[in-house]
Structures are given as structure tokens and as C-alpha cells.
Amino acid sequence: MAPLWLSRVTVGFVVALSLANLYFYNYARIYAMFGQTPDIRFNLYGDPQIEGDAKLQREPRTGRLDILVNDYYLHHVYGSTIAAFKPNYVVTMGDIFSSQWVRRDEYYKRIERFKWISQRIDSQNTTMRSNHVYLYMAGNHDIGYGDETRSYHINRFVNNFGPLNRKWTVDIDGRLHRMAILNAMNLDKTRTRQYRVEAWDFVHGLAADSAKHPDIPLILFLHIPLHKPDGICVANAKTVDRDGFVRYQDYLSPTTSAYLLHCLSPVLVFNGHDHNGCVAVHSTDVTASIPVVLGDSGKMLRSSSDMCDLTLEDLDMYRPELDEFALQTISSTAEGPAVDNSTALPTIEITVRSSMGAYHGTTGVFDVSSIHQRQDTVTTSLRVLGRNVQASAGGYTYSYREIPFGHHLVVRALLVTNIVSCFAVPAILLLF
């Protein structure tokens, strides 16, 4: 006969393990219980960076098991949050793979793994039906930074994941929103100029659209975050060049960031790259009168709107002056300024926390809904709580929240505990 304390411990252990497993399999549904059904929803997944043959070479004993567990971990994250939140769009924020320098056969092996992870195919390699659209951004581990981008990097990404730049409109309750995915990898100095010209031609097109339709909100998606002062996010403004081309960067340059903010005027900007996640609020002074002489050209910027008339050649030629101009006309903070009905909503930048296990398998859920109010009662508001955002402007509400799963070490420990318990608990019960 087992002692009383052992029976109590066993019962408590079984209850605790059952609750842990209940959360494990239903965590997304639990989060989805809180909140209303929006007009449109995005599930955002940051930097999964799935590994492959290089890890097997580095860790021949444990690498295969780590890859297997990580694939199932990410498969559970994608599958649970897609099923629970039923998004209209499933967006992977770049850095799909851990490196762009992989052989062709390895690249396509990882594509098939990622399709299974992201719920595009099932275990029998059959394409799964879905009611949502899959979208992808190119990250530095997909096509490289400006110094590294090669034609085969771009071609195989485009052939398998779609165009680097795309735009579309969404009808929300009879009114439009503009959406755009932008190739951020080639916005700053790029060795192959063609890729940079293509990126900036797309940006100039977005700027023209914003000037023509200022009343239609723009939501922008790109991999690399905008420039901001140190201390707002975990990452800092670090850029490394090689031969004048970008070899590494945490943020886009001040000039590029200022152009996107001043000339595209996005309501929200989503990006990845910084695995920790972050929220920054950018206020642009469109009426600023800060005359800046651009070199010896005689050209002068008298207001921030003048920046939108500059060509790519101008942006490069007068980069020092424009960087200084950018820092003077943009104010960035972690929580944003006070916002009321007399002020416009500043640009909200959200860096989506990584979905990797070390960052708790986080999914970003972004909702847009129409407010059914009279035009004279439409409110403007902004509230930032950590990395969660609630905002309203122009008759719409914008909501972003993080849905964490759990640290991968905790999940692994739970799985091991489940396996051991299958043998240990029945053995203990035989003692009663």
C-alpha cells in the first residue's frame, strides 16, 4: 500500500500535467476567446529561420533531432493560430530560412518543410484548402543584404514565394485601404544597381498613389525596421558597409526611412528582422520649415514635402544633408505623443517578434475594423501597452497583439515529461 503523501503528489502531478497539456494544445483558442471579430485580420510570423544541412554538419549528434522538434514546434504555432484566429492573410515577415547560401537541392527541401510548417501542405504532401492568402517578404537570409544580393537569390525567391514588391487594395465596409509589401533589402546601397532601381521605382509609385489618394490609408510591410534613436528597441542603428554597399544593417538609413514616412505617409508599418519585437511611433513634421541646401547644387529643401521630389540619384548624392534633415523632421518614441481628435494619427511601426522557439513562438495578430459612427463623431486615439497597440483614426480601429506559445525549452520539457509519465504514473498506480 503506497503512503498517503505519494497518492496526493501523484494526483497533483497528473492534474498539473493535464492543465499544461490543455494549454499546449489550446493556447491559441484561449487567446482568441478575447476580442471581437474584425473586418480583416492578418496573422504575422516573424523570422522563422528554419535550418537544415549546415546544422547537421555543426551538430551531427543532436542536429537532426533539433530540426525535427523545431519543425513540429513551428507547425504547431502556425496551425494553432491559423485555426483559432481564422485570418484573411497569413504573412511571414522574411528570413524564412536560416541562410541564403544554401545549395539548390537543400533549398527545395526546406521549401517543402516550410510548406508543411505553415499549413500549405499536409503530411501526404497534398495541398491544403484554405480561406486565407499567404504572403511573404524577402529577408536578409532569403536574398541577402545589398552587398550580397545575387540574381539566383532573387529568382528562386520570386519563383517560390512571389514578387519582392506588391501592392493591393482591401475593401473594408465599402471603404478602401492600400496594402503594400516592399523589398527593404535593396533600398539602401546595393551592389547590383538594377535591384535598387526596381525597389525605388516601386517606392516612387507608392508615393504618387499617396499624393493622389491621401484619404486612403496605407499599411506597409517590409523586412528591415525604420531608423530610430537607440533605446527604443533592443536593436540599435548599426550599419556595416563593404566597398560602399550594405553588408549588414539593423535599421534602414535615416534618409530612406524619412522618405517612406514623409512621402508614403503610412498609417502602420510592419517589419521583422529584430527578433525581440518592438513598437515605435513616428511623428513627422510636414510643415517644418528647415531650409537645407543640398551640396553645391543650389537645390534647397524648404519643407519635408520637397523631399518627395528627389530622385534616387539625389538621395545618394546628398545623403549627409538628407540624413540630418531626416533627424530634424521626424520624432520617434516608444509610446507616441498624446493623440486626440485635433491631431492626426502618427505612423505606428510594429516589429513583429520572432516565431522561433527562443522567442516563445510568438504570432502577431493585426485586426482592422470599421467604426460605424457619424463623420462628425469619428475619434482619433492611440494606446501602446508593451508591444500591443490599440488605435483609431478616420473611422477605423487598428489592433495588434502578440500571441506567445511558450519557450521551446519549456515545451521540450513538457514533451519529455509526457513520455516519462506514460510509464511512471501507471507504475505508481499499481502500488495502490
Side-chain angles (χ1 to χ4, degrees):
M1 188 68 178
L4 181 60
W5 68 265
L6 181 58
S7 63
R8 289 178 176 174
V9 169
T10 302
V11 171
F13 172 78
V14 171
V15 170
L17 187 61
S18 299
L19 291 174
N21 279 281
L22 186 65
Y23 173 81
F24 179 91
Y25 288 105
N26 297 281
Y27 83 99
R29 286 187 174 88
I30 295 171
Y31 280 103
M33 292 169 58
F34 304 95
Q36 299 178 344
T37 301
D39 290 319
I40 187 170
R41 171 169 285 165
F42 294 77
N43 275 18
L44 309 176
Y45 303 88
D47 302 50
Q49 292 194 6
I50 64 173
E51 297 189 274
D53 57 350
K55 186 176 183 69
L56 296 178
Q57 294 172 8
R58 294 194 312 268
E59 305 170 16
R61 294 185 178 181
T62 61
R64 192 172 301 278
L65 178 61
D66 280 347
I67 289 173
L68 179 64
V69 171
N70 187 64
D71 281 5
Y72 273 92
Y73 179 96
L74 289 172
H75 178 78
H76 184 68
V77 168
Y78 270 86
S80 297
T81 50
I82 289 173
F85 288 96
K86 298 177 175 57
N88 303 93
Y89 296 91
V90 173
V91 187
T92 302
M93 307 297 294
D95 281 3
I96 300 169
F97 304 139
S98 60
S99 173
Q100 74 275 27
W101 302 108
V102 295
R103 303 186 314 272
R104 185 179 185 277
D105 59 336
E106 171 65 15
Y107 188 82
Y108 284 95
K109 286 179 183 177
R110 295 196 197 187
I111 285 178
E112 292 305 305
R113 286 169 51 206
F114 181 66
K115 286 181 179 179
W116 177 76
I117 285 170
S118 58
Q119 309 290 310
R120 297 203 68 171
I121 61 174
D122 60 21
S123 57
Q124 281 75 46
N125 202 33
T126 302
T127 300
M128 299 174 65
R129 293 184 178 181
S130 65
N131 296 318
H132 45 264
V133 177
Y134 284 90
L135 298 171
Y136 307 92
M137 269 164 280
N140 50 290
H141 289 301
D142 301 313
I143 66 172
Y145 292 106
D147 179 56
E148 305 168 319
T149 306
R150 303 290 185 269
S151 60
Y152 70 90
H153 289 146
I154 289 181
N155 290 338
R156 70 184 184 183
F157 182 91
V158 170
N159 289 338
N160 291 283
F161 298 107
L164 300 179
N165 302 294
R166 68 168 75 190
K167 62 180 180 179
W168 71 102
T169 57
V170 175
D171 187 320
I172 302 176
D173 196 24
R175 293 177 293 172
L176 296 180
H177 267 66
R178 293 185 296 127
M179 310 282 175
I181 290 177
L182 173 60
N183 170 25
M185 305 317 305
N186 302 124
L187 287 176
D188 288 320
K189 289 296 187 69
T190 299
R191 189 173 292 274
T192 304
R193 183 169 176 78
Q194 169 194 348
Y195 307 140
R196 190 161 181 239
V197 170
E198 290 173 356
W200 274 97
D201 283 348
F202 184 75
V203 170
H204 289 141
L206 292 178
D209 291 342
S210 294
K212 186 176 180 181
H213 304 288
D215 56 327
I216 301 179
L218 171 65
I219 298 174
L220 186 64
F221 300 85
L222 67 167
H223 180 68
I224 299 180
L226 303 178
H227 185 274
K228 58 188 71 66
D230 292 350
I232 294 178
C233 302
V234 174
N236 292 323
K238 178 182 178 181
T239 298
V240 178
D241 290 346
R242 177 166 59 186
D243 302 329
F245 305 108
V246 176
R247 187 178 184 184
Y248 172 86
Q249 63 182 161
D250 285 316
Y251 298 150
L252 294 174
S253 67
T255 294
T256 297
S257 301
Y259 191 98
L260 297 179
L261 290 170
H262 283 309
C263 305
L264 273 60
S265 303
V267 176
L268 289 108
V269 177
F270 290 95
N271 44 55
H273 199 49
D274 179 358
H275 297 167
N276 295 280
C278 185
V279 173
V281 182
H282 303 281
S283 300
T284 55
D285 189 349
V286 296
T287 62
S289 179
I290 309 173
V292 174
V293 178
L294 301 180
D296 299 326
S297 66
K299 292 184 178 180
M300 179 177 292
L301 295 185
R302 299 185 181 279
S303 68
S304 57
S305 60
D306 292 342
M307 189 178 196
C308 305
D309 297 327
L310 299 179
T311 65
L312 177 56
E313 289 71 21
D314 292 334
L315 296 175
D316 284 341
M317 185 177 299
Y318 308 120
R319 181 58 59 101
E321 296 92 336
L322 291 173
D323 279 351
E324 181 63 27
F325 179 79
L327 297 177
Q328 293 181 50
T329 58
I330 296 174
S331 173
S332 305
T333 63
E335 297 182 354
V339 173
D340 57 36
N341 294 343
S342 64
T343 59
L345 186 69
T347 297
I348 304 165
E349 180 191 10
I350 298 174
T351 301
V352 179
R353 187 172 172 86
S354 173
S355 58
M356 289 189 287
Y359 299 91
H360 302 271
T362 300
T363 301
V365 176
F366 170 56
D367 295 337
V368 183
S369 294
S370 176
I371 305 174
H372 297 282
Q373 292 178 310
R374 298 196 317 271
Q375 190 64 33
D376 59 350
T377 62
V378 171
T379 59
T380 301
S381 64
L382 171 62
R383 183 175 63 175
V384 179
L385 298 174
R387 291 189 297 271
N388 297 314
V389 176
Q390 286 284 142
S392 64
Y396 300 98
T397 60
Y398 305 99
S399 171
Y400 177 82
R401 53 178 168 156
E402 289 187 346
I403 310 300
F405 173 36
H407 196 280
H408 72 105
L409 293 179
V410 175
V411 175
R412 292 182 187 212
L414 178 61
L415 293 176
V416 171
T417 303
N418 285 338
I419 295 171
V420 172
S421 299
C422 290
F423 300 96
V425 172
I428 293 174
L429 291 176
L430 291 176
L431 299 176
F432 296 108

